[in-house]
Amino acid sequence: MFVLGIDFGGGACKATLLADNGTIAAVHTVEYSTNYPEPGHAEQNPEDWFAATCSSIAAILSEHRVSPKEIAAISLSAATHIAVLLDEHDHVLAPAIYWTDSRSIAEVQKLKEEAGELIEQLVLHRPDTIWTMPQLLWISRHWPDVWSQTKKILFAKDYVRHRLTGDYVTDYIEAEGSMLFDYHKLEWSNDLCDLIDLKADRLPRIVDPMNQTGMVTKQAAELTGLAEGTPVLCGTTDTAMEVFASGAIRRGQMTIKLATAGRVCVVTEQPWRNANLINYSHIIRGLWYPGTATKSCAASYRWFRDTFGGDYEKWDEAANSVSPGADGLIFHPYLNGELTPYADPFLCGSFIGIRSGHRKEHFARAVLEGVAMSLLDCKTAIDDIRIPYDHTAFVIGGGSQSPLWRQIIADTLGMSLVLNERSDSSFGSAMLAGIAIGMFQSPEGAIDTCTRKVARNVPNMENNKIYSELFCKYKAVHDSLAPLYRQWWSS
């Protein structure tokens, strides 16, 4: 018996087939693109997600000779805040605005001025371009024809699941990322919906992530190769799944995420209300994982790879030939603005300190170190709030597969990092499906059965001293350039 977890990340769909003994039977990944039609805009095509789903499932079934009837359940995950607008016939009306998009700056300001206190009270967060509410407000003001035709709104994973089952459902963790959900009452807020002229009945029904929402339809079975009637769970957000998959299921455990975005999260027993924190519920009821975030983490390395060619392994090898500090070359990973600690959509990426002796390997190392500096900004914000945490963290996300990057981050943060064999969202989603159908007795049981530690990075304190000095320069460069970026892009 198997369960299947499918995740939709910033650049790819990843499917993981998990056996009932806790071993991974198959993995398949299909990439898709993010489009940047204008500066500050980031969009994805929802049809690409479903096409990638079909390709991933077909590959797993054919390449690994798995019978569709052996798959007992499916669960999905994806990045949150990403709305899909459907018309009365369930057709997609427009590209999905990705959460890194910063086009809704004016809408954010409007919401802050007119209802900032109400919003923060109900959702624990201040308006920002990352949230669904200002994105929808932007759509209503700039794409009025799309808005007038919108009859239903789903989120990324929910749209793909809708294509599999026909349901219109989301989970409460996903709802927390919309800025339309009252976390006190655990329901859609009419007061918040009214701020953007949205009727709450356009939004999906809210359930637990482990609830079964439907079964694979005959049409979806023909498109994917799955067996008709296969149970499909609601699932939840990618970071919630990664935090769980890492083994962070107790208070004080920290995760460092190296994915499209970077996150530093701590498992707690309550949300922490602070401008630098994003609060989400853990899949274990009664726990939360408040955290800080940098917008372009692995996205920075992918941008570097896609722009200058090559592959990650070769760039890692090149970067490893350069001493810590990249001989004075500094990279700021603000490709789409930045979150912690600035919440500034006007910030831009930069290489600073270029000299004639710098070569391509210096630029590669500077990218890795620049992201590490941004993660140090994130960790420093948590330190300032004094959230208690263990001093060994789980490292998660696609970037965690780089031994060099893990060591740079351990050195920069001054923390030991533990890497599990697998801790990505699709793996977490597969475990969630296993719990839901009784394959595993509990979240703790799933972790004990399925997770295996494979590496530990201990900080080199000599390098930590170098990076501490570099961080001061990194911050000074930000402070100098931030006013210029705001002047250039806000005019």
Side-chain angles (χ1 to χ4, degrees), residues 46-303:
E47 297 307 316
D48 290 345
W49 307 332
F50 188 67
T53 302
C54 295
S55 296
S56 294
I57 293 171
I60 282 179
L61 294 175
S62 63
E63 294 174 15
H64 300 278
R65 298 182 180 179
V66 175
S67 168
K69 294 183 179 179
E70 293 181 275
I71 299 176
I74 300 168
S75 181
L76 310 180
S77 62
T80 190
H81 311 178
I82 305 167
V84 181
L85 278 57
L86 304 178
D87 67 12
E88 60 183 343
H89 303 294
D90 291 344
H91 297 150
V92 175
L93 288 165
I97 297 177
Y98 202 66
W99 74 267
T100 58
D101 187 288
S102 58
R103 73 183 72 183
S104 58
I105 293 172
E107 288 69 29
V108 166
Q109 189 60 35
K110 172 182 170 64
L111 292 169
K112 284 181 178 179
E113 292 173 355
E114 297 181 1
E117 186 174 342
L118 171 67
I119 292 170
E120 190 171 355
Q121 178 186 353
L122 296 184
V123 306
L124 300 178
H125 305 118
R126 298 177 182 179
D128 190 278
T129 58
I130 67 172
W131 304 103
T132 313
M133 178 199 278
Q135 295 167 1
L136 294 178
L137 181 57
W138 185 94
I139 289 171
S140 71
R141 299 171 80 180
H142 295 268
W143 294 345
D145 290 345
V146 168
W147 189 245
S148 66
Q149 295 178 67
T150 300
K151 302 303 179 184
K152 296 185 182 74
I153 297 173
L154 293 174
F155 301 95
K157 71 160 191 327
D158 304 316
Y159 171 72
V160 177
R161 197 189 57 253
H162 164 73
R163 294 289 300 274
L164 294 175
T165 69
D167 69 55
Y168 300 97
V169 175
T170 194
D171 67 288
Y172 63 88
I173 303 176
E174 183 85 64
E176 289 169 356
S178 67
M179 198 159 268
L180 298 167
F181 178 78
D182 185 336
Y183 108 96
H184 303 280
K185 296 181 179 179
L186 302 180
E187 62 185 27
W188 299 121
S189 166
N190 288 322
D191 290 339
L192 295 173
C193 290
D194 287 346
L195 295 175
I196 60 170
D197 193 26
L198 171 67
K199 293 182 179 179
D201 60 8
R202 295 187 192 179
L203 297 168
R205 181 168 61 90
I206 301 170
V207 301
D208 187 278
M210 280 190 273
N211 280 17
Q212 180 180 328
T213 62
M215 296 181 290
V216 173
T217 65
K218 180 179 180 180
Q219 182 181 20
E222 292 172 351
L223 292 171
T224 63
L226 293 167
E228 182 181 355
T230 302
V232 183
L233 308 185
C234 182
T236 189
T237 68
D238 57 352
T239 304
M241 286 292 84
E242 289 166 327
V243 169
F244 166 54
S246 76
I249 55 176
R250 291 185 296 276
R251 181 172 61 88
Q253 292 183 309
M254 175 181 278
T255 57
I256 312 278
K257 179 178 179 178
L258 310 181
T260 298
R263 297 289 308 279
V264 179
C265 299
V266 182
V267 178
T268 66
E269 293 176 339
Q270 70 282 320
W272 288 64
R273 187 169 169 177
N274 183 277
N276 281 322
L277 289 181
I278 298 172
N279 287 281
Y280 280 109
S281 298
H282 199 284
I283 65 155
I284 297 177
R285 291 283 191 170
L287 294 180
W288 294 72
Y289 64 96
T292 48
T294 175
K295 263 192 173 182
S296 299
C297 180
S300 291
Y301 207 20
R302 178 169 179 167
W303 165 82

